[in-house]
Amino acid sequence: MNKQIKSILTLIIVISAVFSAYSTSAYTPDVSWNTTGYYGLYYNLPSDHSNVLVTGKTNYVVTTKIADANDWYSSKYYAFNRVDSKLNFSANFFPVNTGLAGDPNFFAVNWRAVVEVPANGNYKYNVSSDDDSWIYIDDQLITNLGGLHVARATTGEIYLLKGFHKLEIFYADRSKYSAVFTFVPPTTWK
């Protein structure tokens, strides 16, 4: 099989896998095939959710779950989807405001993308988040910045083979002040 055809078929398979989780009509991507960036599903959490921290709240539950093991990423809290060309959001990242008590605080996002790695090798990336964030490559957790905390930054490194890889990022803001998320991929990824 010709190398270019094999690459195209691999990309189609990876894209199908990325979007298979969004097979219900509520999650149908509202993007065209020529859209590039990170496909994000945005969720709005109510202020009475047990995992959000509200001043004076007595029924707060400290979560120890990772990424989509939390109910934040379910259709119950789904608000909208969009493609973000980059993931570099400042301290005032409050994209979800649907009229719930506590808005625009208390939200979660699940971004997905297919990245093309140009050659076998080690690749460095940077992540900063306030509060939770988890980064996966090909379904393997590579960064865990979970929990309620001020903005934390880390640099990660992963060895990847040349070709296409599935990138998945989970983020949540569960406290009233500041919402920061930044993901800076290697400049050589496409």
Side-chain angles (χ1 to χ4, degrees), residues 11 36-38 113-118 123 162-165 185-190:
L11 180 60
T36 59
Y38 303 86
V114 175
V115 296
E116 184 178 4
V117 173
Y123 291 89
K162 177 182 178 178
F164 298 103
H165 296 272
T187 57
T188 55
W189 285 6
K190 297 178 186 174

Side-chain angles (χ1 to χ4, degrees), residues 140-162:
Q140 298 296 314
L141 179 64
I142 61 170
T143 298
N144 181 345
L145 290 176
L148 288 170
H149 52 78
V150 296
R152 286 189 194 155
T154 188
T155 297
E157 185 171 3
I158 184 169
Y159 181 85
L160 294 172
L161 298 176
K162 177 182 178 178

Side-chain angles (χ1 to χ4, degrees), residues 2-184:
N2 161 320
K3 188 175 181 179
Q4 185 178 14
I5 292 173
K6 186 175 179 182
S7 291
I8 291 169
L9 289 175
T10 302
L11 180 60
I12 290 169
I13 290 167
V14 173
I15 288 171
S16 296
V18 167
F19 288 115
S20 67
Y22 310 128
S23 59
T24 67
S25 61
Y27 293 134
T28 302
D30 187 22
V31 297
S32 65
W33 284 107
N34 62 357
T35 303
T36 59
Y38 303 86
Y39 175 70
L41 292 169
Y42 284 74
Y43 302 88
N44 198 1
L45 304 177
S47 60
D48 64 352
H49 190 286
S50 63
N51 292 140
V52 301
L53 184 59
V54 177
T55 304
K57 188 174 186 176
T58 58
N59 65 339
Y60 175 72
V61 176
V62 176
T63 183
T64 56
K65 296 176 185 173
I66 294 177
D68 60 349
N70 294 290
D71 74 340
W72 320 326
Y73 304 100
S74 70
S75 60
K76 179 178 180 179
Y77 302 112
Y78 175 78
F80 62 87
N81 66 70
R82 74 179 188 197
V83 174
D84 295 300
S85 61
K86 60 183 180 175
L87 303 180
N88 186 5
F89 304 105
S90 69
N92 293 312
F93 176 48
F94 297 109
V96 183
N97 190 349
T98 62
L100 287 180
D103 277 354
N105 305 103
F106 319 132
F107 64 93
V109 187
N110 173 211
W111 288 286
R112 290 187 176 195
V114 175
V115 296
E116 184 178 4
V117 173
N120 296 354
N122 288 314
Y123 291 89
K124 288 186 179 181
Y125 60 92
N126 296 300
V127 179
S128 178
S129 72
D130 169 5
D131 295 307
D132 310 272
S133 67
W134 299 275
I135 313 291
Y136 288 83
I137 296 275
D138 297 330
D139 300 318
Q140 298 296 314
L141 179 64
I142 61 170
T143 298
N144 181 345
L145 290 176
L148 288 170
H149 52 78
V150 296
R152 286 189 194 155
T154 188
T155 297
E157 185 171 3
I158 184 169
Y159 181 85
L160 294 172
L161 298 176
K162 177 182 178 178
F164 298 103
H165 296 272
K166 183 171 96 172
L167 171 68
E168 187 165 19
I169 300 170
F170 294 88
Y171 169 73
D173 183 62
R174 299 186 291 130
S175 59
K176 189 153 180 84
Y177 305 101
S178 191
V180 175
F181 184 78
T182 300
F183 173 72
V184 181

